Amino acid sequence: MTKRIPGLRPAVQTLFFLGFLYLLFRAAFPLEIRFPVDLYLRLDPFIGLVTFITQKDIFLRMLPGFGILALTAIFGNFFCAWFCPMGSVIDFFGRVLFREKKRSKPMDDQALRRARTGILLVSLAGAVAGWQVLGLLDPISLITRTFAVFVFPAGTFLYDQVGLKAVGLLSGKAATLTAVPVPVFKAGALILLFFVLVLALSVIRKRFWCRYLCPLGTLLSLVSGLRLVRRSVTEDCTRCQRCVRDCPVGAIPADDPLTYRRSNCIDCFTCLDCPPRAVSFRLGGGSVSPARSVSMSRRYALGSLGLGLAAGLTFKLDPIRGAGRFKNSRLIRPPGALPEDRFVSVCAGCGECLKVCPNNALHPTFLEAGLDGIHTPRLVPRIGYCEELCNFCGRVCPTQAIRALDVEEKRLVQMGIARIDKTRCIAHDTDKTCIVCNEQCSYQAVVLDDKKRPSIDEDKCTGCGICENKCPVEGESAITVHSVGGQKRIAPRSVIIP
Amino acid sequence: MTVFDSKFSRRQFLKGAAATLILPKALASGLQSAPQTPTTGPEADVVVAGGGTPAGLLRAAMAPLGGMGRFVKQGQRVVIKANFAWARTPEQACTNNPELMAALIKMVYDAGAKKVAVWDHTCDNYQFCLIRSGLKKTAQAAGAEILSGHGRNVYREVALPRGRKLKKAEYIKDALDADVLINFPLPKQHFATEVTLGMKNLMGLVWDMALLHRIDLHQCIADIGTIRHPDLVVVDAIRILTSNGPKGPGKTEDPLQVIAGTDLVAVDAYCAGLFKNPRTGKPFLPREVGFIKNAHDLGLGEIDLAKVRMKKVQGA
């Protein structure tokens, strides 16, 4: 290849970005779509690799990611420049909002380049110790989560405020068109802030996140070092420095533009815009020995690995995760979630489940599940309860931290047990008739005494939280769901199958 | 503009007053002397039709009331307050019978309605309710809109000057503004209020249902009846839920009845008798159900069935 087609890359990026938006949009009721809505996450080899290490098990769902690795070994790292929706958004905002600041002399970024490799090593070593940073640093997880907790709710809000009126006027149904409930998310602001920070880093250097921080990019880079399709430059090169300036990841050294850092190149083909047309990409090209992409010392590499292991072990000792008094009994995991330890080590924090939940019941944690459990989903019944006949969260989970269960199986999963605060309960505390909890319970687990005061049948309660959600007491509910040391399967005969 | 702007003489007033006094009687006597046709005045205020197909039951129940034409006129907008509050299947008798709903919508359209809208404010997630109850398909196939009140924008706050405990409520705008409001409940056993009948069904037109529980459920249900008295009540008692109500699943019974009426309280008074009072072991007396008694006390209708013009007919 010797010629760049103008506008092709932004067009392809836009297309893949729209595909990402569409799939995430369709991660919603009734979830009848032939494509897996978590396709972009399944194509992410970093998530695939880390969950493979933490689980010592191959996930069929994550296999496509390894296909991406194989393709990268042939064509180089095309993922970042052409496919990655996070990369596309960074590119876009790098053009319109967060433009790179002009600097008089080139920046020495060796330390930063090392940092990226360091982050990858820390996360792989951490994975060996059962800890993962996917939730925070994987770009696909990051963008999916941000769009699930911020962009889609904001879009819904705008629709309700503006679009609803427009549609109402056009269809003549303004009086009966019902607003779509706007999902709200705990810790949502934090997630947005992190996303904006990632975009804003482009002010320092173009694609700052991609070049210096992204662990997925680093993994692809390492494989990209083996690439078969390579860049080669003929002696026609006039050293005009145009390619050096334009390269979005700084892969071409200023002092020797004939070569390039092979593993840093993201195949954007910007350097084909060469005035003397000296640059080409060919299978088996690039006979000139590549520039070193990063100078890693042994000490640095070992230090990174050690840090990852130490971090993993430290998080394991977090008392909130133990069984004792420090345990967070209000940390209720989605139905079908793996046992807590495995759950936090395999959940990529992508937020697909938050998006798909029809009742806005799942929320990203902040520190409720400990430091390593950040941005994993938890059930917050007061905001939304777990719908009885819904199994969507497991069906969209790319790493199967929440297992995909049949609706019948899911109805038998006990996530927690409801408890009644008799001092706040209307029926216990006054002589009024209330019993909303009993009326709403899908499993007939709220039983009444002769004075119509509720109590819980623990054999039937699944902890779905509809009682906590609908309890008419103002503020905190008089009936609250508490986790009971992991999820259990309740006996089928105690639940009437609907 | 005030009434004083128009020139309204004492003479005109007297003429008008005289006319309002005389005309209805004159008209009524004229009708009595005319031969009886199916469209003349109603024979009953509450009709119980038993046995037969859903559509046949509905036809049989509506005829003695004067037919649907009495309630629905050409070009009107009709709101049906149905019950699809739960994600349950039709066989479980927690939501309306689809066949009966289809027949009701068809009958309303045949009477000349311009558009029929079926409303409920669901308790379970509305998407699951609409699909699982089968009523979305039913209503749309019959040409009606089926609408769920899950967004606060479709409600309007109204004052309840006659309400004893509930003084204001947010009520579905469409139900307030429609030309005709048909209440289409399904009788069920209910843990909180013993039974859930026609008046309790109207609770599903209110935004903040939790509030009613905090105040006083039985009185609030009666108070809600003062907002807009439905023009017609059609009770779907083909299959009723007799335990674990209102959400079920529970035991069901098949009375195979459709009860139609214009008196909200009298209809509920009859339907209460479909259920056994666990305290007495006999069918519920209307006065044993708090909200029926409260509604009667508010003057919403007649609780004493002996004073109601009732008719029992055989369904087709």
Side-chain angles (χ1 to χ4, degrees):
Chain A
M1 194 190 292
T2 55
K3 213 167 168 240
R4 188 175 76 96
I5 303 165
L8 179 66
R9 194 168 72 92
V12 172
Q13 280 184 306
T14 309
L15 207 68
F16 280 126
F17 178 71
L18 290 178
F20 161 78
L21 273 189
Y22 175 72
L23 286 180
L24 194 54
F25 177 72
R26 290 295 300 271
F29 185 91
L31 202 61
E32 285 159 3
I33 173 168
R34 294 230 312 279
F35 277 111
V37 290
D38 55 339
L39 181 70
Y40 281 60
L41 292 145
R42 296 186 189 192
L43 289 171
D44 180 333
F46 179 58
I47 297 182
L49 186 63
V50 172
T51 45
F52 170 67
I53 298 173
T54 57
Q55 293 307 295
K56 286 111 194 139
D57 196 2
I58 296 275
F59 286 80
L60 283 181
R61 282 193 182 212
M62 296 310 299
L63 280 182
F66 295 100
I68 293 282
L69 277 188
L71 288 177
T72 303
I74 301 169
F75 299 105
N77 181 7
F78 60 90
F79 188 95
C80 300
W82 296 81
F83 181 77
C84 178
M86 189 72 211
S88 308
V89 172
I90 291 176
D91 271 351
F92 178 75
F93 279 96
R95 270 195 287 276
V96 300
L97 194 58
F98 301 114
R99 291 221 190 106
E100 188 179 35
K101 237 173 71 187
K102 295 230 161 35
R103 65 186 78 246
S104 47
K105 52 182 182 192
M107 176 173 148
D108 177 22
D109 58 358
Q110 265 308 313
L112 281 167
R113 283 185 189 283
R114 264 204 300 272
R116 178 166 100 144
T117 317
I119 288 173
L120 179 70
L121 291 177
V122 165
S123 41
L124 293 181
V128 174
W131 167 68
Q132 44 87 1
V133 290
L134 296 174
L136 271 180
L137 296 183
D138 180 83
I140 310 290
S141 164
L142 169 62
I143 190 171
T144 312
R145 180 171 66 244
T146 310
F147 274 59
V149 304
F150 180 75
V151 178
F152 276 99
T156 312
F157 179 76
L158 283 181
Y159 169 76
D160 284 351
Q161 298 297 316
V162 185
L164 203 64
K165 290 195 178 73
V167 177
L169 281 177
L170 289 175
S171 64
K173 290 179 182 168
T176 58
L177 211 58
T178 314
V180 182
V182 179
V184 290
F185 288 101
K186 289 192 153 190
L190 198 77
I191 287 167
L192 177 69
L193 209 66
F194 187 70
F195 185 75
V196 173
L197 183 75
V198 166
L199 297 184
L201 284 173
S202 299
V203 175
I204 307 172
R205 298 230 45 192
K206 259 186 267 177
R207 279 194 171 230
F208 185 97
W209 163 266
C210 311
R211 335 181 176 195
Y212 302 132
L213 297 170
C214 178
L216 171 63
T218 317
L219 178 64
L220 292 167
S221 279
L222 289 181
V223 179
S224 179
L226 312 167
R227 57 191 294 167
L228 300 176
V229 175
R230 295 174 191 162
R231 174 180 184 264
S232 59
V233 187
T234 62
E235 279 303 330
D236 295 340
C237 171
T238 58
R239 286 158 177 78
C240 68
Q241 299 285 317
R242 176 164 172 177
C243 57
V244 175
R245 217 171 37 243
D246 286 351
C247 179
V249 287
I252 304 165
D255 49 353
D256 186 11
L258 284 184
T259 173
Y260 76 130
R261 299 187 191 100
R262 197 185 278 168
S263 59
N264 285 118
C265 173
I266 56 171
D267 281 348
C268 66
F269 303 132
T270 308
C271 52
L272 288 178
D273 283 347
C274 170
R277 309 197 54 79
V279 182
S280 65
F281 278 81
R282 284 199 310 269
L283 192 67
S287 49
V288 185
S289 65
R292 288 195 61 172
S293 68
V294 58
S295 58
M296 287 284 285
S297 64
R298 190 179 301 142
R299 186 178 304 187
Y300 196 92
L302 286 175
S304 304
L305 290 170
L307 183 64
L309 280 171
L313 293 174
T314 312
F315 290 140
K316 285 250 176 260
L317 299 176
D318 190 338
I320 211 166
R321 302 273 294 287
R325 286 182 297 143
F326 300 110
K327 191 179 156 69
N328 181 358
S329 77
R330 291 288 272 154
L331 179 70
I332 302 148
R333 293 302 190 182
L338 297 171
E340 182 64 21
D341 262 2
R342 288 183 63 203
F343 184 78
V344 292
S345 74
V346 72
C347 168
C350 65
E352 285 277 352
C353 52
L354 313 178
K355 170 68 179 65
V356 81
C357 179
N359 289 347
N360 189 204
L362 296 179
H363 291 260
T365 53
F366 177 45
L367 295 175
E368 298 91 330
L371 250 181
D372 55 338
I374 195 163
H375 300 334
T376 51
R378 67 185 273 235
L379 185 72
V380 182
R382 198 56 168 159
I383 301 176
Y385 63 92
C386 179
E387 187 73 28
E388 179 192 5
L389 300 160
C390 169
N391 58 355
F392 293 167
C393 49
R395 281 168 57 196
V396 302
C397 181
T399 59
Q400 289 297 290
I402 311 169
R403 284 161 298 158
L405 303 173
D406 305 337
V407 171
E408 285 74 33
E409 268 303 302
K410 181 250 154 175
R411 286 185 82 252
L412 301 175
V413 174
Q414 187 177 54
M415 297 166 269
I417 290 180
R419 309 233 180 270
I420 295 170
D421 180 349
K422 293 186 178 170
T423 60
R424 307 189 76 231
C425 172
I426 294 176
H428 280 279
D429 196 40
T430 70
D431 52 4
K432 288 181 193 163
T433 314
C434 171
I435 62 150
V436 178
C437 46
N438 161 287
E439 166 189 306
Q440 299 282 342
C441 182
S442 309
Y443 309 89
Q444 283 141 19
V446 180
V447 286
L448 300 179
D449 63 10
D450 51 349
K451 287 182 178 158
K452 297 200 172 178
R453 292 175 305 197
S455 59
I456 307 295
D457 181 344
E458 296 195 356
D459 291 337
K460 288 184 180 175
C461 180
T462 64
C464 74
I466 193 170
C467 49
E468 178 172 345
N469 183 264
K470 307 269 183 174
C471 175
V473 171
E474 271 180 294
E476 198 183 326
S477 177
I479 181 165
T480 47
V481 179
H482 296 264
S483 73
V484 281
Q487 299 191 343
K488 280 199 283 273
R489 188 175 185 277
I490 51 180
R493 67 190 150 70
S494 63
V495 176
I496 300 174
I497 303 295
Chain B
M1 194 186 89
T2 69
V3 286
F4 303 109
D5 290 342
S6 58
K7 295 221 167 75
F8 194 70
S9 68
R10 188 179 301 144
R11 184 169 300 178
Q12 276 175 319
F13 169 73
L14 287 173
K15 274 183 188 168
T20 47
L21 282 173
I22 296 161
L23 269 177
K25 281 184 184 166
L27 283 175
S29 62
L31 284 174
Q32 268 166 10
S33 58
Q36 288 282 324
T37 60
T39 50
T40 51
E43 303 163 33
D45 296 324
V46 176
V47 184
V48 180
T53 64
L57 280 167
L58 182 66
R59 265 196 310 276
M62 286 305 294
L65 282 182
M68 191 57 88
R70 178 184 159 201
F71 305 97
V72 178
K73 300 283 182 288
Q74 199 68 36
Q76 286 187 321
R77 181 174 179 87
V78 179
V79 163
I80 297 175
K81 167 59 184 79
N83 186 341
F84 52 92
W86 309 102
R88 294 284 179 237
T89 57
E91 302 77 52
Q92 291 172 327
C94 303
T95 50
N96 282 123
N97 181 310
E99 274 182 71
L100 185 63
M101 182 190 274
L104 180 61
I105 294 169
K106 183 171 182 301
M107 189 181 260
V108 172
Y109 271 125
D110 288 348
K114 190 168 151 221
K115 193 73 197 172
V116 180
V118 181
W119 277 97
D120 199 1
H121 182 190
T122 64
C123 299
D124 281 342
N125 181 294
Y126 65 100
Q127 294 153 313
F128 288 83
C129 292
L130 285 170
I131 300 292
R132 206 165 164 83
S133 66
L135 292 176
K136 184 178 183 182
K137 223 161 84 187
T138 305
Q140 286 177 346
E145 294 176 279
I146 185 153
L147 301 161
S148 145
H150 54 270
R152 203 168 182 170
N153 66 321
V154 293
Y155 296 79
R156 184 164 72 223
E157 190 172 289
V158 285
L160 278 68
R162 290 167 67 197
R164 293 239 167 108
K165 289 201 174 161
L166 194 65
K167 291 299 175 192
K168 58 182 184 187
E170 284 170 74
Y171 207 69
I172 286 185
K173 282 188 274 191
D174 202 14
L176 291 169
D177 300 337
D179 302 304
V180 182
L181 174 63
I182 297 176
N183 190 17
F184 185 39
L186 171 90
K188 291 188 265 185
Q189 182 265 348
H190 194 290
F191 282 117
T193 55
E194 314 299 347
V195 284
T196 165
L197 309 167
M199 269 183 280
K200 180 110 178 26
N201 192 44
L202 292 178
M203 227 175 113
L205 292 170
V206 176
W207 170 252
D208 189 357
M209 294 189 263
L211 180 71
L212 316 181
H213 285 260
R214 279 203 298 275
I215 301 174
D216 173 352
L217 195 51
H218 278 292
Q219 186 58 50
C220 285
I221 293 170
D223 288 352
I224 284 166
T226 66
I227 297 176
R228 177 171 180 180
H229 195 289
D231 302 277
L232 170 68
V233 186
V234 176
V235 181
D236 169 1
I238 294 173
R239 170 174 284 187
I240 61 174
L241 184 72
T242 55
S243 76
N244 294 338
K247 185 169 187 173
K251 289 185 192 130
T252 58
E253 271 174 32
D254 296 331
L256 267 179
Q257 291 182 2
V258 167
I259 301 104
T262 48
D263 185 327
L264 190 59
V265 181
V267 169
D268 276 9
Y270 170 79
C271 292
L274 295 171
F275 297 89
K276 263 207 182 89
N277 186 340
R279 295 220 176 88
T280 59
K282 287 182 214 150
F284 269 107
L285 297 172
R287 286 192 181 278
E288 289 170 349
V289 182
F291 64 85
I292 302 182
K293 189 177 160 297
N294 293 347
H296 173 76
D297 293 346
L298 274 173
L300 287 178
E302 184 51 59
I303 197 168
D304 188 354
L305 288 174
K307 294 183 188 161
V308 178
R309 287 195 299 162
M310 249 182 86
K311 193 168 176 181
K312 294 201 176 184
V313 292
Q314 183 62 39

